[in-house]
Amino acid sequence: MAGELLRRRAHWWPSFPDLLEDFPFDLRISPEEHIIRVEESEEEGAYVIKAELPGIDPAKDVEITVEGGVLTVHAERREEKTEKHRSEFHYGSFTRSIRLPEGCEEGDITASYDKGVLTVKAPLPKAEKKQPRRVEITRGT
């Protein structure tokens, strides 16, 4: 009975990897690639991106590039722990690309790293304050 239910479920509900087969791009994540968790916000006239990158040296392991309105953060982590009769290696690369809002000042983007969080700020264009214009009403004849 249980076997019959599993076969019926498999017929009507394919496994998740099977669902990804027909996508035009690869959604699977290899063991060497990980997703960088990011938070995006707007603060004081800047578009702010905060990325969780704990345990890395930003001077050696992080590269930030901007091209055509897309900001890309690439990081590589290598960690080695050696104890008596045992050693562990952890490594992986992380890449995340984010489209910047229209008109961001790409040349003035800044980045800082503190307590495992990378913060990137891209200045937004200053909005021009326009005075309201009064529209005259004419009478029809």
Side-chain angles (χ1 to χ4, degrees):
M1 178 80 172
E4 178 63 26
L5 289 174
L6 288 174
R7 278 193 295 282
R8 283 185 186 175
R9 192 198 84 195
H11 174 72
W12 291 103
W13 186 255
S15 69
F16 189 71
D18 294 340
L19 291 172
L20 299 178
E21 273 183 9
D22 296 327
F23 270 69
F25 52 88
D26 194 1
L27 289 177
R28 293 169 293 180
I29 300 170
S30 71
E32 297 83 28
E33 290 279 333
H34 304 281
I35 296 176
I36 298 173
R37 290 178 35 150
V38 298
E39 177 182 295
E40 301 171 60
S41 63
E42 191 176 318
E43 299 173 9
E44 301 169 5
Y47 185 67
V48 180
I49 300 162
K50 293 183 180 181
E52 293 181 0
L53 295 172
I56 61 161
D57 180 352
K60 296 179 190 174
D61 302 330
V62 179
E63 179 180 47
I64 302 170
T65 57
V66 182
E67 183 178 353
V70 177
L71 179 112
T72 301
V73 177
H74 179 78
E76 290 191 29
R77 179 186 324 192
R78 297 186 186 281
E79 183 179 347
E80 180 180 335
K81 292 181 182 178
T82 305
E83 300 172 2
K84 187 176 180 179
H85 305 294
R86 180 183 173 168
S87 65
E88 287 187 33
F89 299 93
H90 298 277
Y91 60 92
S93 64
F94 311 82
T95 302
R96 185 76 186 258
S97 295
I98 299 155
R99 177 153 304 280
L100 297 172
E102 189 74 30
C104 268
E105 300 294 330
E106 292 183 11
D108 296 329
I109 293 174
T110 60
S112 61
Y113 182 83
D114 185 39
K115 297 178 185 172
V117 177
L118 175 72
T119 303
V120 179
K121 293 185 178 184
L124 292 169
K126 293 185 177 23
E128 294 180 23
K129 286 191 175 183
K130 294 185 178 183
Q131 295 296 325
R133 181 176 81 78
R134 183 177 174 154
V135 177
E136 296 294 325
I137 302 171
T138 60
R139 292 187 181 248
T141 52

